[in-house]
Amino acid sequence: MNRSVIGITAATVLMAASFTYAAEVSFFITSAGPGKGADLGGLAGADAHCQKLAETAGGQNHTWRAYLSIGAVGDSPAVNARDRIGKGPWHNVKGVMVAKDVDELHGENNLTKETVLTEGGAIVNGRGDRPNRHDILTGSNLDGTSLDADRTCENWTSSGDGTTTVGHHDRTGGGPNPTSWNSAHGTRGCSQSNLQSTGGDRLFYCFAVSK
């Protein structure tokens, strides 16, 4: 594990130790990503990471899901991120509502750099900060539907070839949709270095589907 990840993990644990979750918490952004690059261990690995971070930080006994889409492969159908995350409403770890339902989440929501907090209550670096970490993995269209498997880093199992779509949690930056939280632009590849080259760090959104 590199020093930057160790530092992030240590800071998260320290913050979690003194942070009190709001009763209705049901949304956060990961403080660090699992695996290597965009290889998250598929949807199952990403979901497990959300669950682990929530439980480690002291969240309630919810079922957590990653906001990630996958493309159809053979007989396996595509999965839309919007269909994985429950019905809402969703609140960050300080109790602030970011969206009341799926339609608002993909419309006029309250997702900003200040409201998209980690499981430990921290604000994630955005454009203008060092390092910039605002590229958030989603593999999704603006409406939360799936892209082709070759645009989801082989459905979250590749840390080498391929590409995926990311959003900007700080709602600013470059790409076709720079203010989009879930579908701003594509990545240069699926490795950690490729993700970091455009301002990413293999982070993703987590939502509670039962509470």
Side-chain angles (χ1 to χ4, degrees):
M1 183 179 292
N2 62 46
R3 292 182 179 178
S4 63
V5 173
I6 292 173
I8 292 169
T9 302
T12 300
V13 171
L14 180 60
M15 182 174 293
S18 59
F19 187 81
T20 301
Y21 264 40
E24 65 270 41
V25 59
S26 47
F27 165 79
F28 63 85
I29 189 173
T30 60
S31 58
K36 297 181 293 184
D39 180 357
L40 309 176
L43 288 182
D47 290 345
H49 190 61
C50 287
Q51 197 76 39
K52 180 179 179 180
L53 290 180
E55 292 174 356
T56 300
Q60 294 89 336
N61 188 28
H62 300 334
T63 297
W64 292 86
R65 294 287 179 266
Y67 183 93
L68 297 169
S69 294
I70 60 172
V73 177
D75 295 332
S76 299
V79 176
N80 302 322
R82 65 179 292 137
D83 298 332
R84 312 189 71 243
I85 58 173
K87 297 180 179 179
W90 298 284
H91 298 79
N92 69 16
V93 298
K94 293 187 177 180
V96 176
M97 187 169 74
V98 296
K100 66 180 181 182
D101 54 31
V102 173
D103 288 337
E104 185 171 273
L105 181 66
H106 295 92
E108 296 297 321
N109 59 53
N110 187 33
L111 294 171
T112 68
K113 182 181 178 182
E114 289 71 31
T115 64
V116 181
L117 304 176
T118 69
E119 73 281 357
I123 293 176
V124 174
N125 281 5
R127 193 179 193 194
D129 300 323
R130 292 190 178 183
N132 181 9
R133 307 173 78 209
H134 78 162
D135 283 356
I136 311 304
L137 302 173
T138 70
S140 302
N141 293 304
L142 290 168
D143 62 357
T145 54
S146 66
L147 298 165
D148 298 332
D150 60 1
R151 289 189 288 168
T152 59
C153 288
E154 298 181 15
N155 287 341
W156 315 112
T157 63
S158 174
S159 60
D161 295 335
T163 185
T164 190
T165 296
V166 295
H168 291 154
H169 84 288
D170 57 356
R171 314 302 290 270
T172 186
N177 303 298
T179 63
S180 172
W181 66 278
N182 70 334
S183 194
H185 60 80
T187 64
R188 294 174 179 169
C190 299
S191 69
Q192 182 70 355
S193 59
N194 279 329
L195 297 179
Q196 290 176 328
S197 69
T198 57
D201 199 18
R202 71 188 178 201
L203 308 183
F204 49 92
Y205 304 109
C206 298
F207 289 78
V209 299
S210 66
K211 46 186 176 171

